[in-house]
Amino acid sequence: MRGLGELERAVMDVLWDGGGPMKVRDVLDRLDTGKALAYTTVMTVLDNLHRKEWVRRERTGKAYAYEPTVTRADASARALRQVLDESGDPEAVLLHFAQSATAHESAALRKGLRRTVAGG
């Protein structure tokens, strides 16, 4: 995701796949980054994600439990929006993307556009 570092993205993936609020230890136990991480490192990453408003936290006993504030799909859509905004030519980017889309992706786009037109 744009705006997140590599470890922040990995932590968000764990939270998105977690199915509910998770404590630092839960996240650390499920992280698979290929390197050993300290508890305090994961705690700092979660604190940074909270500051950036990617996660919310609630105290449970002596620790916080964290959960995402946005879905993975919403975060991906935000990243795509940022790419389009920064491209200088969003129409050309969209057209190039549409040419590379699979049949399934094209159908999903058509369905979404029909909803947008019908609702707006």
Side-chain angles (χ1 to χ4, degrees):
M1 302 291 127
R2 292 175 68 91
L4 296 180
E6 185 178 334
L7 186 52
E8 288 174 325
R9 281 192 303 273
V11 167
M12 287 304 299
D13 283 337
V14 168
L15 291 171
W16 281 320
D17 295 339
M22 298 177 73
K23 294 182 180 179
V24 175
R25 176 63 56 195
D26 301 325
V27 174
L28 177 61
D29 290 345
R30 294 183 186 180
L31 267 174
D32 183 18
T33 62
K35 47 188 153 185
L37 295 170
Y39 178 94
T40 54
T41 300
V42 176
M43 184 172 61
T44 299
V45 169
L46 283 163
D47 187 56
N48 290 341
L49 289 168
H50 178 257
R51 187 176 37 78
K52 293 178 179 183
E53 299 181 352
W54 281 84
V55 301
R56 68 178 140 263
R57 66 185 180 193
E58 184 174 321
R59 188 172 291 279
T60 57
K62 294 182 179 182
Y64 284 111
Y66 295 85
E67 62 183 333
T69 57
V70 296
T71 66
R72 189 187 318 253
D74 287 339
S76 296
R78 286 182 190 177
L80 179 56
R81 177 79 263 158
Q82 189 174 356
V83 167
L84 290 172
D85 290 345
E86 294 172 355
S87 72
D89 192 353
E91 184 177 331
V93 173
L94 285 170
L95 290 173
H96 283 288
F97 174 77
Q99 291 170 346
S100 70
T102 66
H104 178 74
E105 291 165 343
S106 294
L109 284 169
R110 282 192 298 277
K111 183 177 178 182
L113 289 170
R114 280 193 299 273
R115 283 187 196 155
T116 301
V117 171

